[in-house]
Amino acid sequence: MDISTQKTDADAPPLPPSPGPAEHKRTGRGVTRPGDRIFLGLSRGSGILLLVIMAAIAAFLTYRACLAISKDDGNFLTTFEWNTGVQPPVFGIAVLAFGTVVSSVVAMVVAVPVAVAIALFLTHYAPRRLSGPISYVIDLLAAVPSIVYGLWGALILVPHLDGLFSWLNDYLGWTGIFSWEGGAPRSMLTVGILLAIMILPIVTNVSREVFRQAPRMHEEAALALGATRWEVIRMAVLPFGRSGVISASMLGLGRALGETIAVATVLSPTFDIKASLLDPGGGTFAQNIASKFSEATEFGRDALIASGLVLFVITLLVNGAARLIIARRKEYSGANA
Protein backbone atom coordinates (compact mmCIF):
# COMPACT_ATOMS: atom_id res chain seq x y z
CA MET A 1 0.00 0.00 0.00
CA ASP A 2 1.39 3.38 -0.99
CA ILE A 3 2.20 5.53 2.01
CA SER A 4 1.26 8.65 0.11
CA THR A 5 -2.33 7.45 -0.15
CA GLN A 6 -2.73 7.09 3.65
CA LYS A 7 -4.68 9.79 5.43
CA THR A 8 -3.04 11.63 8.24
CA ASP A 9 -4.49 13.63 11.10
CA ALA A 10 -3.72 16.80 9.18
CA ASP A 11 -5.89 15.60 6.29
CA ALA A 12 -8.86 14.85 8.60
CA PRO A 13 -11.70 17.38 8.56
CA PRO A 14 -11.56 19.85 11.45
CA LEU A 15 -13.83 19.28 14.43
CA PRO A 16 -16.78 21.62 14.76
CA PRO A 17 -16.20 24.38 17.31
CA SER A 18 -17.70 23.89 20.76
CA PRO A 19 -20.88 25.86 21.29
CA GLY A 20 -20.41 29.14 23.09
CA PRO A 21 -22.78 30.85 25.54
CA ALA A 22 -24.93 32.18 22.71
CA GLU A 23 -25.26 28.71 21.23
CA HIS A 24 -26.18 27.29 24.66
CA LYS A 25 -28.87 29.92 25.03
CA ARG A 26 -30.26 29.29 21.56
CA THR A 27 -30.29 25.48 21.82
CA GLY A 28 -31.56 25.42 25.42
CA ARG A 29 -28.56 23.47 26.74
CA GLY A 30 -26.42 24.27 29.79
CA VAL A 31 -27.42 26.29 32.81
CA THR A 32 -29.86 28.53 30.96
CA ARG A 33 -32.69 26.05 30.62
CA PRO A 34 -35.85 26.98 32.56
CA GLY A 35 -35.48 24.08 34.98
CA ASP A 36 -31.88 25.02 35.73
CA ARG A 37 -32.80 28.66 36.23
CA ILE A 38 -35.62 27.72 38.62
CA PHE A 39 -33.39 25.37 40.61
CA LEU A 40 -30.59 27.96 40.73
CA GLY A 41 -33.02 30.57 42.03
CA LEU A 42 -34.48 28.24 44.65
CA SER A 43 -31.09 27.13 45.92
CA ARG A 44 -29.74 30.67 45.99
CA GLY A 45 -32.88 31.92 47.72
CA SER A 46 -32.63 29.15 50.32
CA GLY A 47 -29.05 30.13 51.13
CA ILE A 48 -29.96 33.80 51.41
CA LEU A 49 -32.99 32.95 53.58
CA LEU A 50 -30.78 30.99 55.95
CA LEU A 51 -28.40 33.93 56.29
CA VAL A 52 -31.33 36.28 56.92
CA ILE A 53 -32.72 34.01 59.64
CA MET A 54 -29.32 33.75 61.34
CA ALA A 55 -28.88 37.51 61.16
CA ALA A 56 -32.37 38.06 62.60
CA ILE A 57 -31.65 35.70 65.51
CA ALA A 58 -28.33 37.41 66.21
CA ALA A 59 -29.94 40.87 66.06
CA PHE A 60 -32.75 39.84 68.43
CA LEU A 61 -30.36 38.28 70.94
CA THR A 62 -28.00 41.25 70.78
CA TYR A 63 -30.80 43.81 71.29
CA ARG A 64 -32.34 42.05 74.29
CA ALA A 65 -28.90 41.32 75.77
CA CYS A 66 -27.92 44.98 75.53
CA LEU A 67 -31.04 45.93 77.49
CA ALA A 68 -29.95 43.67 80.34
CA ILE A 69 -26.23 44.41 80.27
CA SER A 70 -26.87 48.17 80.29
CA LYS A 71 -28.38 47.78 83.79
CA ASP A 72 -25.64 45.47 85.05
CA ASP A 73 -22.74 46.63 87.21
CA GLY A 74 -20.20 45.53 84.62
CA ASN A 75 -19.45 42.08 86.07
CA PHE A 76 -21.65 40.08 83.72
CA LEU A 77 -18.79 37.83 82.66
CA THR A 78 -17.32 37.19 86.11
CA THR A 79 -20.20 37.19 88.62
CA PHE A 80 -20.91 33.88 90.42
CA GLU A 81 -24.53 34.68 91.20
CA TRP A 82 -27.90 34.94 89.48
CA ASN A 83 -30.53 37.04 91.19
CA THR A 84 -32.47 39.41 88.95
CA GLY A 85 -35.11 40.16 91.60
CA VAL A 86 -32.93 42.48 93.70
CA GLN A 87 -31.86 46.07 93.06
CA PRO A 88 -29.48 46.39 91.44
CA PRO A 89 -30.00 43.04 89.68
CA VAL A 90 -27.13 40.57 89.73
CA PHE A 91 -26.56 38.00 87.04
CA GLY A 92 -23.39 36.41 85.75
CA ILE A 93 -22.43 33.72 83.27
CA ALA A 94 -19.09 32.58 84.71
CA VAL A 95 -20.49 29.41 86.28
CA LEU A 96 -22.77 28.72 83.31
CA ALA A 97 -19.94 29.08 80.79
CA PHE A 98 -17.68 26.84 82.87
CA GLY A 99 -20.34 24.15 83.29
CA THR A 100 -21.35 24.21 79.62
CA VAL A 101 -17.78 23.88 78.36
CA VAL A 102 -16.68 21.27 80.91
CA SER A 103 -19.71 18.99 80.44
CA SER A 104 -19.37 19.19 76.65
CA VAL A 105 -15.64 18.43 76.75
CA VAL A 106 -16.25 15.42 79.01
CA ALA A 107 -18.94 14.20 76.62
CA MET A 108 -16.61 14.53 73.62
CA VAL A 109 -13.73 12.77 75.38
CA VAL A 110 -15.99 9.83 76.25
CA ALA A 111 -18.11 9.63 73.08
CA VAL A 112 -15.80 10.30 70.13
CA PRO A 113 -13.32 7.40 70.62
CA VAL A 114 -16.18 4.97 71.27
CA ALA A 115 -18.15 6.23 68.27
CA VAL A 116 -15.16 5.94 65.92
CA ALA A 117 -14.43 2.44 67.20
CA ILE A 118 -18.06 1.39 66.62
CA ALA A 119 -18.03 2.90 63.12
CA LEU A 120 -14.82 1.03 62.23
CA PHE A 121 -16.22 -2.20 63.61
CA LEU A 122 -19.41 -1.87 61.57
CA THR A 123 -17.61 -1.04 58.32
CA HIS A 124 -14.48 -3.23 58.46
CA TYR A 125 -14.88 -6.01 61.02
CA ALA A 126 -18.50 -7.00 61.61
CA PRO A 127 -20.22 -9.37 59.13
CA ARG A 128 -23.18 -7.98 57.24
CA ARG A 129 -25.75 -9.96 59.25
CA LEU A 130 -24.38 -8.36 62.44
CA SER A 131 -23.64 -4.82 61.24
CA GLY A 132 -27.19 -4.33 59.97
CA PRO A 133 -28.98 -4.87 63.32
CA ILE A 134 -26.36 -2.88 65.24
CA SER A 135 -26.71 0.05 62.83
CA TYR A 136 -30.48 -0.10 63.22
CA VAL A 137 -30.20 0.05 67.01
CA ILE A 138 -27.84 3.03 66.78
CA ASP A 139 -30.33 4.82 64.52
CA LEU A 140 -33.04 4.19 67.11
CA LEU A 141 -30.86 5.72 69.84
CA ALA A 142 -30.61 8.91 67.79
CA ALA A 143 -34.42 9.18 67.76
CA VAL A 144 -34.93 8.88 71.53
CA PRO A 145 -36.29 12.17 72.99
CA SER A 146 -34.14 14.16 75.40
CA ILE A 147 -36.61 13.80 78.27
CA VAL A 148 -36.32 10.01 78.05
CA TYR A 149 -32.55 10.27 78.35
CA GLY A 150 -32.99 12.62 81.28
CA LEU A 151 -35.36 10.29 83.14
CA TRP A 152 -33.09 7.33 82.48
CA GLY A 153 -30.12 9.30 83.73
CA ALA A 154 -31.89 10.41 86.92
CA LEU A 155 -33.44 7.02 87.77
CA ILE A 156 -30.85 4.55 86.46
CA LEU A 157 -27.52 6.24 85.76
CA VAL A 158 -27.15 8.40 88.87
CA PRO A 159 -27.86 5.63 91.45
CA HIS A 160 -25.27 3.36 89.83
CA LEU A 161 -22.37 5.81 89.64
CA ASP A 162 -21.33 5.51 93.28
CA GLY A 163 -18.89 2.72 92.49
CA LEU A 164 -17.25 4.65 89.65
CA PHE A 165 -16.97 7.80 91.74
CA SER A 166 -15.46 5.86 94.67
CA TRP A 167 -12.89 4.23 92.37
CA LEU A 168 -11.93 7.56 90.81
CA ASN A 169 -11.60 9.13 94.26
CA ASP A 170 -9.43 6.27 95.55
CA TYR A 171 -6.98 6.18 92.64
CA LEU A 172 -7.18 9.66 91.07
CA GLY A 173 -8.45 11.81 93.91
CA TRP A 174 -4.94 13.19 94.47
CA THR A 175 -5.30 15.16 91.23
CA GLY A 176 -8.11 17.25 92.67
CA ILE A 177 -10.16 16.75 89.51
CA PHE A 178 -11.60 13.43 90.71
CA SER A 179 -11.88 14.00 94.45
CA TRP A 180 -15.25 13.09 95.97
CA GLU A 181 -16.61 13.80 99.42
CA GLY A 182 -19.70 11.65 99.06
CA GLY A 183 -23.28 12.58 98.34
CA ALA A 184 -25.50 12.09 95.33
CA PRO A 185 -23.41 11.76 92.16
CA ARG A 186 -25.11 14.65 90.35
CA SER A 187 -22.06 16.40 88.98
CA MET A 188 -20.38 17.56 85.78
CA LEU A 189 -19.02 14.07 85.17
CA THR A 190 -22.53 12.62 85.41
CA VAL A 191 -23.82 15.18 82.92
CA GLY A 192 -20.85 14.51 80.64
CA ILE A 193 -21.50 10.76 80.63
CA LEU A 194 -25.19 11.31 79.87
CA LEU A 195 -24.38 13.75 77.05
CA ALA A 196 -21.84 11.28 75.67
CA ILE A 197 -24.56 8.63 75.40
CA MET A 198 -26.83 11.15 73.67
CA ILE A 199 -24.31 12.27 71.04
CA LEU A 200 -22.88 8.78 70.45
CA PRO A 201 -25.41 7.87 67.69
CA ILE A 202 -24.77 11.12 65.78
CA VAL A 203 -20.99 10.75 65.72
CA THR A 204 -21.24 7.03 64.97
CA ASN A 205 -23.63 7.37 62.02
CA VAL A 206 -21.70 10.14 60.29
CA SER A 207 -18.33 8.44 60.87
CA ARG A 208 -19.72 5.14 59.58
CA GLU A 209 -20.86 6.70 56.31
CA VAL A 210 -17.50 8.46 55.89
CA PHE A 211 -15.51 5.26 56.44
CA ARG A 212 -17.67 3.47 53.89
CA GLN A 213 -16.56 5.98 51.27
CA ALA A 214 -12.87 5.18 51.74
CA PRO A 215 -11.29 4.21 48.37
CA ARG A 216 -11.47 0.47 48.01
CA MET A 217 -8.39 0.44 45.77
CA HIS A 218 -6.26 1.96 48.54
CA GLU A 219 -7.34 -0.73 50.98
CA GLU A 220 -6.70 -3.53 48.46
CA ALA A 221 -3.28 -2.08 47.63
CA ALA A 222 -2.33 -2.04 51.31
CA LEU A 223 -3.52 -5.64 51.72
CA ALA A 224 -1.53 -6.65 48.65
CA LEU A 225 1.60 -5.19 50.23
CA GLY A 226 1.09 -7.40 53.29
CA ALA A 227 -0.57 -4.93 55.65
CA THR A 228 -2.74 -6.22 58.45
CA ARG A 229 -6.36 -5.17 58.88
CA TRP A 230 -5.43 -2.56 61.49
CA GLU A 231 -2.60 -1.21 59.31
CA VAL A 232 -5.06 -0.84 56.43
CA ILE A 233 -7.39 1.15 58.68
CA ARG A 234 -4.56 3.27 60.05
CA MET A 235 -2.96 4.05 56.67
CA ALA A 236 -5.94 4.16 54.28
CA VAL A 237 -9.22 4.58 56.16
CA LEU A 238 -8.50 6.94 59.04
CA PRO A 239 -6.57 9.54 56.98
CA PHE A 240 -9.38 9.59 54.42
CA GLY A 241 -12.11 9.95 57.04
CA ARG A 242 -10.38 12.38 59.39
CA SER A 243 -12.24 15.46 58.16
CA GLY A 244 -15.53 13.56 58.30
CA VAL A 245 -14.87 12.48 61.88
CA ILE A 246 -14.14 16.10 62.81
CA SER A 247 -17.42 17.19 61.22
CA ALA A 248 -19.30 14.44 63.06
CA SER A 249 -17.68 15.48 66.33
CA MET A 250 -18.75 19.08 65.81
CA LEU A 251 -22.33 17.97 65.20
CA GLY A 252 -22.24 16.05 68.47
CA LEU A 253 -20.63 18.97 70.26
CA GLY A 254 -23.38 21.26 69.02
CA ARG A 255 -26.00 19.04 70.61
CA ALA A 256 -24.01 18.73 73.82
CA LEU A 257 -23.65 22.51 74.12
CA GLY A 258 -27.36 23.14 73.71
CA GLU A 259 -28.87 20.17 75.54
CA THR A 260 -31.48 21.33 78.04
CA ILE A 261 -34.01 18.89 79.48
CA ALA A 262 -31.67 15.96 80.09
CA VAL A 263 -29.18 18.18 81.91
CA ALA A 264 -31.89 19.85 83.99
CA THR A 265 -33.24 16.43 85.03
CA VAL A 266 -29.88 15.11 86.22
CA LEU A 267 -27.98 18.12 87.56
CA SER A 268 -28.69 20.03 90.76
CA PRO A 269 -27.82 23.63 89.81
CA THR A 270 -25.60 25.76 92.05
CA PHE A 271 -23.80 28.96 91.16
CA ASP A 272 -20.28 28.05 92.15
CA ILE A 273 -17.41 26.55 90.19
CA LYS A 274 -16.24 23.15 91.40
CA ALA A 275 -12.63 22.12 90.93
CA SER A 276 -13.60 18.44 90.97
CA LEU A 277 -15.75 16.86 88.30
CA LEU A 278 -17.32 14.66 90.99
CA ASP A 279 -18.58 17.40 93.28
CA PRO A 280 -22.34 18.04 92.98
CA GLY A 281 -23.50 21.30 91.49
CA GLY A 282 -22.73 23.53 88.57
CA GLY A 283 -24.94 24.56 85.70
CA THR A 284 -25.18 25.16 81.97
CA PHE A 285 -26.64 27.92 79.82
CA ALA A 286 -29.51 25.86 78.43
CA GLN A 287 -30.40 24.38 81.82
CA ASN A 288 -30.47 27.79 83.49
CA ILE A 289 -32.67 29.28 80.75
CA ALA A 290 -35.13 26.37 80.91
CA SER A 291 -35.43 26.43 84.70
CA LYS A 292 -35.80 30.20 85.15
CA PHE A 293 -37.54 31.50 82.03
CA SER A 294 -41.15 30.77 83.05
CA GLU A 295 -40.94 32.65 86.36
CA ALA A 296 -38.58 35.42 85.28
CA THR A 297 -39.53 39.09 85.14
CA GLU A 298 -39.11 41.17 81.98
CA PHE A 299 -35.59 42.11 82.99
CA GLY A 300 -34.88 38.53 84.07
CA ARG A 301 -35.81 37.31 80.59
CA ASP A 302 -33.46 39.86 79.06
CA ALA A 303 -30.71 38.50 81.30
CA LEU A 304 -31.48 34.93 80.24
CA ILE A 305 -31.43 36.02 76.60
CA ALA A 306 -28.03 37.62 77.23
CA SER A 307 -26.73 34.26 78.43
CA GLY A 308 -28.28 32.70 75.33
CA LEU A 309 -26.32 35.16 73.20
CA VAL A 310 -23.09 33.97 74.82
CA LEU A 311 -24.04 30.36 74.04
CA PHE A 312 -24.84 31.42 70.47
CA VAL A 313 -21.39 32.99 70.09
CA ILE A 314 -19.66 29.93 71.58
CA THR A 315 -21.46 27.66 69.12
CA LEU A 316 -20.49 29.87 66.17
CA LEU A 317 -16.85 29.92 67.29
CA VAL A 318 -16.76 26.14 67.67
CA ASN A 319 -18.28 25.54 64.24
CA GLY A 320 -15.98 28.12 62.66
CA ALA A 321 -12.93 26.49 64.21
CA ALA A 322 -14.06 23.10 62.92
CA ARG A 323 -14.47 24.47 59.38
CA LEU A 324 -10.97 25.97 59.52
CA ILE A 325 -9.49 22.67 60.68
CA ILE A 326 -11.25 20.77 57.88
CA ALA A 327 -10.19 23.34 55.25
CA ARG A 328 -6.55 23.22 56.35
CA ARG A 329 -6.52 19.43 56.29
CA LYS A 330 -7.92 19.44 52.75
CA GLU A 331 -5.22 21.90 51.65
CA TYR A 332 -2.55 19.77 53.34
CA SER A 333 -3.84 16.60 51.70
CA GLY A 334 -3.98 18.30 48.30
CA ALA A 335 -0.44 19.57 48.66
CA ASN A 336 0.86 16.08 49.51
CA ALA A 337 -1.11 14.33 46.77
Side-chain angles (χ1 to χ4, degrees):
M1 183 176 181
D2 191 359
I3 299 178
S4 61
T5 61
Q6 296 181 359
K7 291 184 178 181
T8 63
D9 293 341
D11 298 328
L15 295 175
S18 58
E23 182 67 19
H24 276 299
K25 187 174 183 179
R26 185 172 62 254
T27 58
R29 294 175 299 184
V31 297
T32 58
R33 290 185 296 183
D36 291 330
R37 288 197 296 269
I38 294 173
F39 180 77
L40 176 61
L42 290 175
S43 58
R44 181 180 298 169
S46 300
I48 295 174
L49 178 62
L50 178 61
L51 294 177
V52 170
I53 293 174
M54 292 293 295
I57 294 174
F60 167 76
L61 293 176
T62 303
Y63 171 72
R64 296 293 295 269
C66 289
L67 294 178
I69 296 175
S70 63
K71 300 178 182 179
D72 185 43
D73 57 1
N75 298 324
F76 172 64
L77 298 176
T78 58
T79 302
F80 288 15
E81 186 180 356
W82 192 283
N83 190 354
T84 58
V86 299
Q87 292 297 332
V90 179
F91 62 97
I93 65 163
V95 176
L96 302 178
F98 177 81
T100 300
V101 173
V102 169
S103 60
S104 300
V105 170
V106 171
M108 296 296 293
V109 170
V110 174
V112 172
V114 177
V116 172
I118 294 174
L120 290 174
F121 173 75
L122 294 177
T123 55
H124 290 83
Y125 287 97
R128 186 178 298 273
R129 64 178 179 274
L130 182 60
S131 63
I134 295 178
S135 300
Y136 179 72
V137 171
I138 294 174
D139 293 337
L140 287 180
L141 288 176
V144 175
S146 298
I147 185 61
V148 176
Y149 278 112
L151 293 175
W152 176 83
L155 300 177
I156 304 298
L157 181 63
V158 171
H160 290 84
L161 284 179
D162 291 334
L164 175 63
F165 279 32
S166 298
W167 185 88
L168 291 174
N169 180 62
D170 293 339
Y171 293 96
L172 299 175
W174 57 271
T175 62
I177 301 177
F178 298 104
S179 60
W180 186 43
E181 298 178 357
R186 295 176 178 268
S187 63
M188 285 290 108
L189 182 61
T190 307
V191 174
I193 294 174
L194 181 61
L195 292 177
I197 297 173
M198 296 180 67
I199 68 175
L200 185 66
I202 299 174
V203 183
T204 301
N205 288 337
V206 177
S207 301
R208 180 189 63 197
E209 297 304 321
V210 171
F211 292 151
R212 282 180 176 173
Q213 302 301 321
R216 187 64 181 173
M217 295 181 62
H218 293 182
E219 299 182 30
E220 293 177 352
L223 290 172
L225 292 175
T228 62
R229 182 69 63 88
W230 164 242
E231 290 173 337
V232 171
I233 292 174
R234 182 170 58 86
M235 294 186 298
V237 179
L238 289 179
F240 174 82
R242 187 174 291 115
S243 60
V245 172
I246 294 175
S247 300
S249 302
M250 292 305 104
L251 287 175
L253 180 59
R255 179 172 186 182
L257 287 171
E259 184 53 47
T260 305
I261 300 300
V263 178
T265 307
V266 170
L267 188 63
S268 299
T270 58
F271 271 85
D272 55 344
I273 294 179
K274 303 289 187 177
S276 174
L277 295 177
L278 309 185
D279 286 337
T284 65
F285 285 115
Q287 174 210 23
N288 187 61
I289 294 173
S291 61
K292 290 184 169 59
F293 194 85
S294 61
E295 58 186 20
T297 62
E298 186 68 22
F299 176 81
R301 293 182 180 180
D302 291 340
L304 293 173
I305 292 174
S307 66
L309 175 63
V310 177
L311 179 59
F312 183 78
V313 172
I314 292 175
T315 305
L316 288 181
L317 292 177
V318 168
N319 290 333
R323 295 299 297 267
L324 288 177
I325 293 173
I326 294 173
R328 287 189 177 183
R329 286 209 166 271
K330 287 183 178 179
E331 292 177 0
Y332 177 78
S333 301
N336 292 340

